[in-house]
Amino acid sequence: MATEDAVIGWYDLAWKGGSFQVCFRPCGNFFSPKFQAQARWEIEGDTINVDWGKFGKYEFTFSSETKTMEGNAIPKNAEDDRNWRKATFKGPLSAAELALIGDGAGSEWDFEWSGGVFPVQFKADGYNHFKCNDFPAHAHWALEDAKLRIHWGEYGQYDLVVDGEAKTMEGGMVGGNPETDWRKAKWLRNLIDNKTIEKCEHHH
């Protein structure tokens, strides 16, 4: 029988059209950098069900021994050579990722700059929304290794390096003056997953 701890992590998802990375996050959140949508996954025995929003629904059989999944788009159609899917485990969530996504819903941080300190939220939804009530914008975040990029709408873009163990981050505005446009943040709390889905109709 599959367990959440065994499933959580990054996978290469293959089909007839190629392969790309997907992430099974805690709390049943499913994320794909390439194909972003509000998406959920759940376990029923050894079956993993994925509801990928506009990209459809899928079912997989999970092997705990090999950490692989074999399955198909729903409805299953063995005659269609585009119907099959196979997922291969690539690695666990990094310390930086875990600091940001918390228990699965995301996290809140104290964000500091030369003008003061205010709270921000990193949502672990299907679009990696970034939320700030003090400076509201349609914003997103992306992580590559420990390097965080915040796309903050009209407020610009920011690069920070996340220390996952200390739960801190430091960096600044992209293209800015490091002496005056610095930013840093420290973890406040994990967000609670109430399965509130924020629609993202601005792009994708």
Side-chain angles (χ1 to χ4, degrees):
M1 183 169 177
T3 64
E4 181 177 275
D5 287 343
V7 174
I8 289 170
W10 284 94
Y11 292 75
D12 266 343
L13 182 62
W15 69 303
K16 184 183 179 182
S19 66
F20 51 90
Q21 288 198 327
V22 299
C23 187
F24 289 82
R25 289 172 166 174
C27 250
N29 285 320
F30 180 84
F31 178 70
S32 171
K34 190 173 182 180
F35 299 102
Q36 295 187 12
Q38 295 295 12
R40 304 280 303 173
W41 67 276
E42 62 181 13
I43 300 172
E44 290 184 14
D46 284 324
T47 299
I48 311 297
N49 295 307
V50 176
D51 184 345
W52 203 336
K54 62 184 177 183
F55 298 113
K57 295 183 178 182
Y58 301 84
E59 58 185 3
F60 298 91
T61 300
F62 179 73
S63 169
S64 300
E65 293 180 1
T66 61
K67 288 182 85 75
T68 58
M69 305 184 198
E70 295 198 16
N72 52 268
I74 297 174
K76 184 175 182 178
N77 182 0
E79 303 297 315
D80 183 357
D81 63 0
R82 298 169 62 87
N83 185 251
W84 64 271
R85 298 292 187 276
K86 184 172 182 178
T88 305
F89 183 74
K90 296 299 293 181
L93 301 177
S94 69
E97 282 180 288
L98 289 171
L100 290 169
I101 70 175
D103 299 316
S107 57
E108 185 170 69
W109 297 59
D110 260 345
F111 202 75
E112 183 177 351
W113 67 308
S114 58
V117 182
F118 51 85
V120 299
Q121 293 183 348
F122 296 90
K123 299 293 191 74
D125 57 15
Y127 296 104
N128 281 356
H129 279 113
F130 175 81
K131 183 177 180 180
C132 175
N133 290 331
D134 290 53
F135 299 95
H138 187 78
H140 297 261
W141 62 273
L143 188 70
E144 185 173 346
D145 298 322
K147 185 179 179 182
L148 172 70
R149 168 67 63 92
I150 301 173
H151 301 271
W152 204 333
E154 68 221 60
Y155 299 108
Q157 297 185 36
Y158 299 82
D159 282 341
L160 300 99
V161 176
V162 180
D163 184 333
E165 300 298 332
K167 292 188 176 181
T168 59
M169 60 179 76
E170 292 189 7
M173 179 182 283
V174 176
N177 183 339
E179 293 186 7
T180 56
D181 293 323
W182 58 268
R183 300 291 188 276
K184 61 183 179 179
K186 61 181 180 180
W187 178 90
L188 281 177
R189 64 184 180 93
N190 289 342
L191 301 177
I192 297 172
D193 185 16
N194 57 6
K195 294 184 172 57
T196 297
I197 302 300
E198 293 185 18
K199 297 275 187 174
C200 186
E201 308 296 348
H202 292 253
H203 45 80
H204 314 294

